[in-house]
């Protein structure tokens, strides 16, 4: 929407303007005071840095950074600082697929196996019926199975091969269930149909025409690019750094790295319904497909309390959709180790915002994004902006308290005074799972060590009976409960690892 200013007709009109409440008058510049708000957010959450871009009426009103790239160092975040945008990559994959739809090389309702003949899921019916639309709308019926890609040794091809062993969690197309591997598959399908790779297609057909020169789809050369944010996580005592992990195997589900300046151009393309500076990258019809509700997202009590203005929420194709204060909001969050992103569009107001942070608290970019949207709505309503920082901080503290209670309950259930059933060396061996691969248990300096590699390596501390607690050596991965189960012969038959599944002991010898 374009705001047209007319000359003031009389001196009386000018006098009247002077008595308009300051909260409303300031909104003639919707971003007035935003700097102070963001600084307050950084302080409240102990967040190292943040970058924000805002687009309105096809103009970049803001693209800048706050804070630092790494705690303890002075290097500032600016509009060109690279962050992992994580699952906000999904919209890029959907747009890429839409380009192929425009070219009539695929259709949204093509069976996936028409283009990837070897692709297979646990249920033969779902394998046959699964469409491209299903890949992009979180209705496959599969649980997340994120350990297949997260900190795993598997390539994209290996993940797609192994997903056939991931058992459904509910009926096909019956409910919403967030699923990264389906988007990974969608990205590989884009590359297959286009005769290239998802990475090359996104670079050539999206990054290049938008001038997104800093953006890429790999972490392998991330440090060499310079001006890169360091990921950070909360510990019990402080905010600490973690390393950039290789997430290239996530592909179309979340492998893009970008900056506020680059993402501003992506916002322009989205608000332009696929057209950027006079050039159509994808059609209006693709835009409406992406923003059309496919899968209903249930709204629990916390969602209702946080967004009382929202009545309906759904997932389209690569985007979350909701009504908010009488407008449609098209948005998506992204989370990877120590990085959080939120992208939000309000098409009826022709406004978009992206928020990038280097701290693992997902509500921080979300609260800033909705604060910005409120600033554009305020002049048209009562001039108010919800205190998102205070609201989200309260919700987060409640969640932290509940997490502490769960940990305390787990501690209370621990049976003291027990010992393992067998000598420690009896637990040593190789364990296998068709989905997650191999788990190795070794004995080092009198303690068991579990290796589900390449990052999930940890020393096992005895908990009770034949259950141990693994403390993963990689900072930020936390702990997991590990339970060995004995067979009828009294020997270890399998091990269950929290976050993974059941690994069966492999026979010894050749």
């Amino acid at each position: 929407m374009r705001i047209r200013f007319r000359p003031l007709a009389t001196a009386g009109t000018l006098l009247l303007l002077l008595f308009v409440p300051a909260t409303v008058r300031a909104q003639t510049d919707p971003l007035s005071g935003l700097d102070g708000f963001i600084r307050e957010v950084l302080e409240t959450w102990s967040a190292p840095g943040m970058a924000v871009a805002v687009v309105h009426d096809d103009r970049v009103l803001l693209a800048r950074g706050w804070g630092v790239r790494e705690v303890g160092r002075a290097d500032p975040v600016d509009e060109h600082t690279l962050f992992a945008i994580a699952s906000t990559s999904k919209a890029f994959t959907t747009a890429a697929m839409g380009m192929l739809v425009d070219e009539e090389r695929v259709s949204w309702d093509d069976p996936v196996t028409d283009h990837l003949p070897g692709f297979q899921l646990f249920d033969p019916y779902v394998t046959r019926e699964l469409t491209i639309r299903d890949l992009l709308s979180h209705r496959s019926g599969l649980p997340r199975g994120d350990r297949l890609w997260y900190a795993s040794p598997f390539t994209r091809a290996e993940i797609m091969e192994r997903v056939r062993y991931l058992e459904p969690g509910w009926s096909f197309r019956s409910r919403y269930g967030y699923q990264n591997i389906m988007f990974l598959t969608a990205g590989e399908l884009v590359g297959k149909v286009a005769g290239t790779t998802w990475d090359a297609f996104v670079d050539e057909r999206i990054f290049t025409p938008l001038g997104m020169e800093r953006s890429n789809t790999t972490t392998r050369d991330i440090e060499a690019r310079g001006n890169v944010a360091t990921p950070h996580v909360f510990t019990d005592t402080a905010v600490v750094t973690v390393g950039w992990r290789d997430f290239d195997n996530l592909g179309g589900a979340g492998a893009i790295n970008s900056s506020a300046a680059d993402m501003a151009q992506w916002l322009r393309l989205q608000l332009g319904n696929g057209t950027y500076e006079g050039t159509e990258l994808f059609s209006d019809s693709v835009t409406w497909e992406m923003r059309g509700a496919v899968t209903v997202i249930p709204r629990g009590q916390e969602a209702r309390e946080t967004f009382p203005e929202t009545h309906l929420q759904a997932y389209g194709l690569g985007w979350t959709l909701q009504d908010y204060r009488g407008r449609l909001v098209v948005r998506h969050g992204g989370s990877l180790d120590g990085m959080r992103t939120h992208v939000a569009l309000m098409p009826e107001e022709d406004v978009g915002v992206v928020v990038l942070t280097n701290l693992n608290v997902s509500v921080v970019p979300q609260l800033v994004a909705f604060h910005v949207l409120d600033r554009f709505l305020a002049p048209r309503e009562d001039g108010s902006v919800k205190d998102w920082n205070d609201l989200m901080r309260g919700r987060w503290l409640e969640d932290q308290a509940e997490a502490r209670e769960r940990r305390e309950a787990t501690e209370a259930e621990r049976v003291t005074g027990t010992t393992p059933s067998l000598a420690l060396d009896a637990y040593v061996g190789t364990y296998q799972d068709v989905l997650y691969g191999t788990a190795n248990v070794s004995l080092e300096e009198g303690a068991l060590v579990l290796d589900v590699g390449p990052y999930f390596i940890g020393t096992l501390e005895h908990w009770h009976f034949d259950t141990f607690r693994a403390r993963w050596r990689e900072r930020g991965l936390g702990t997991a409960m590990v339970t060995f189960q004995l067979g009828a012969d009294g020997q270890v038959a399998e091990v269950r690892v929290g976050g993974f599944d059941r690994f069966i002991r492999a026979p010894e010898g050749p």
Side-chain angles (χ1 to χ4, degrees):
M1 183 182 74
R2 298 185 182 277
I3 302 174
R4 294 180 173 83
F5 296 94
R6 297 177 180 176
L8 297 175
T10 65
T13 308
L14 177 60
L15 183 62
L16 179 63
L17 181 63
L18 294 176
F19 287 93
V20 173
T23 55
V24 176
R25 277 191 285 115
Q27 292 299 326
T28 55
D29 175 9
L31 303 185
S32 175
L34 181 62
D35 175 80
F37 174 78
I38 291 178
R39 292 182 187 279
E40 177 188 345
V41 169
L42 293 177
E43 181 177 358
T44 299
W45 296 89
S46 301
M50 179 182 295
V52 179
V54 180
V55 169
H56 183 229
D57 282 345
D58 201 34
R59 293 183 298 118
V60 180
L61 300 188
L62 175 73
R64 62 161 289 191
W66 287 262
V68 295
R69 300 178 218 159
E70 182 177 334
V71 292
R73 302 185 65 174
D75 298 330
V77 172
D78 61 29
E79 70 273 24
H80 300 299
T81 301
L82 282 178
F83 294 78
I85 72 165
S87 285
T88 61
S89 304
K90 290 177 170 64
F92 286 80
T93 297
T94 305
M97 191 73 75
M99 294 174 183
L100 297 178
V101 171
D102 281 337
E103 295 167 3
E104 300 184 350
R105 300 166 79 176
V106 301
S107 75
W108 299 113
D109 296 307
D110 282 350
V112 172
T113 52
D114 282 2
H115 304 285
L116 298 174
F119 186 70
Q120 182 179 331
L121 297 180
F122 189 88
D123 186 331
Y125 169 79
V126 181
T127 299
R128 184 177 70 248
E129 298 296 323
L130 189 80
T131 66
I132 290 174
R133 190 183 303 275
D134 295 321
L135 291 180
L136 302 171
S137 58
H138 299 308
R139 61 179 189 177
S140 67
L142 294 178
R144 295 184 65 135
D146 284 338
R147 286 288 190 260
L148 263 179
W149 60 266
Y150 180 79
S152 87
F154 303 128
T155 64
R156 297 175 195 172
E158 289 170 329
I159 293 167
M160 290 170 58
E161 177 72 20
R162 287 176 176 270
V163 75
R164 69 187 61 192
Y165 302 114
L166 183 61
E167 297 186 26
W170 44 87
S171 299
F172 180 46
R173 293 180 185 155
S174 65
R175 51 163 279 193
Y176 174 82
Y178 198 85
Q179 229 297 329
N180 284 298
I181 300 170
M182 296 300 96
F183 270 89
L184 184 161
T185 302
E188 297 309 284
L189 192 152
V190 166
K192 175 73 178 302
V193 171
T196 181
T197 63
W198 169 80
D199 310 72
F201 189 94
V202 168
D203 184 66
E204 179 183 348
R205 300 288 295 274
I206 299 178
F207 293 165
T208 297
L210 297 185
M212 297 175 66
E213 296 179 355
R214 294 275 293 158
S215 301
N216 72 349
T217 60
T218 180
T219 59
R220 292 176 185 170
D221 66 345
I222 196 75
E223 296 297 341
R225 289 174 174 262
N227 193 1
V228 177
T230 298
H232 297 76
V233 298
F234 272 114
T235 67
D236 293 337
T237 57
V239 172
V240 299
T241 63
V242 293
W244 274 80
R245 200 183 306 282
D246 183 351
F247 283 118
D248 293 10
N249 66 353
L250 189 51
I256 293 175
N257 309 300
S258 192
S259 67
D262 278 10
M263 289 295 287
Q265 307 313 309
W266 171 244
L267 294 176
R268 291 178 64 198
L269 174 68
Q270 288 294 326
L271 292 170
N273 297 336
T275 296
Y276 177 82
E277 295 188 350
T279 299
E280 182 182 278
L281 272 66
F282 54 82
S283 65
D284 278 352
S285 64
V286 167
T287 299
W288 307 133
E289 288 281 358
M290 291 191 290
R291 298 178 190 171
V294 178
T295 310
V296 173
I297 300 177
R299 301 185 67 247
Q301 180 178 347
E302 183 173 332
R304 294 193 300 271
E305 292 175 353
T306 304
F307 290 99
E309 312 88 347
T310 292
H311 305 92
L312 298 171
Q313 190 168 359
Y315 203 86
L317 301 181
W319 291 98
T320 298
L321 315 169
Q322 70 182 86
D323 66 301
Y324 178 70
R325 296 175 66 173
R327 279 75 164 179
L328 171 67
V329 171
V330 181
R331 66 184 181 94
H332 212 292
S335 300
L336 280 175
D337 288 352
M339 295 275 183
R340 297 294 184 268
T341 301
H342 208 86
V343 178
L345 311 168
M346 193 177 286
E348 293 151 297
E349 301 294 335
D350 203 8
V351 63
V353 56
V354 59
V355 185
L356 308 158
T357 60
N358 54 347
L359 181 66
N360 68 328
V361 181
S362 59
V363 296
V364 172
Q366 183 184 33
L367 76 87
V368 173
F370 273 90
H371 175 88
V372 170
L373 296 182
D374 278 352
R375 283 171 164 267
F376 282 86
L377 291 175
R380 298 153 180 79
E381 297 179 359
D382 62 1
S384 66
V385 174
K386 183 188 295 189
D387 190 347
W388 282 103
N389 195 34
D390 185 64
L391 172 65
M392 292 299 204
R393 184 67 175 179
R395 293 272 182 257
W396 185 80
L397 290 174
E398 290 175 5
D399 291 344
Q400 295 302 299
E402 291 175 3
R404 281 195 301 273
E405 290 176 3
R406 289 192 296 271
R407 289 195 298 270
E408 290 169 359
T410 300
E411 291 281 353
E413 292 171 357
R414 183 178 187 179
V415 181
T416 60
T418 69
T419 58
S421 300
L422 306 171
L424 292 185
D425 59 3
Y427 299 88
V428 172
T430 298
Y431 301 78
Q432 295 176 333
D433 177 73
V434 293
L435 184 64
Y436 294 110
T438 299
N440 290 297
V441 178
S442 60
L443 192 61
E444 298 179 12
E445 299 181 356
L448 294 175
V449 175
L450 173 66
D451 181 348
V452 199
Y455 299 103
F456 285 98
I457 302 172
T459 301
L460 301 187
E461 305 167 349
H462 184 249
W463 184 256
H464 63 201
F465 304 114
D466 290 317
T467 294
F468 296 74
R469 179 170 60 187
R471 290 192 179 275
W472 304 119
R473 296 173 181 175
E474 181 83 5
R475 179 183 281 179
L477 292 183
T479 63
M481 302 307 291
V482 178
T483 299
F484 293 90
Q485 295 187 353
L486 308 187
D489 60 358
Q491 300 303 306
V492 180
E494 63 183 58
V495 60
R496 293 181 179 269
V497 182
F500 289 88
D501 205 340
R502 180 182 65 172
F503 293 83
I504 306 298
R505 186 160 192 166
E508 297 180 0

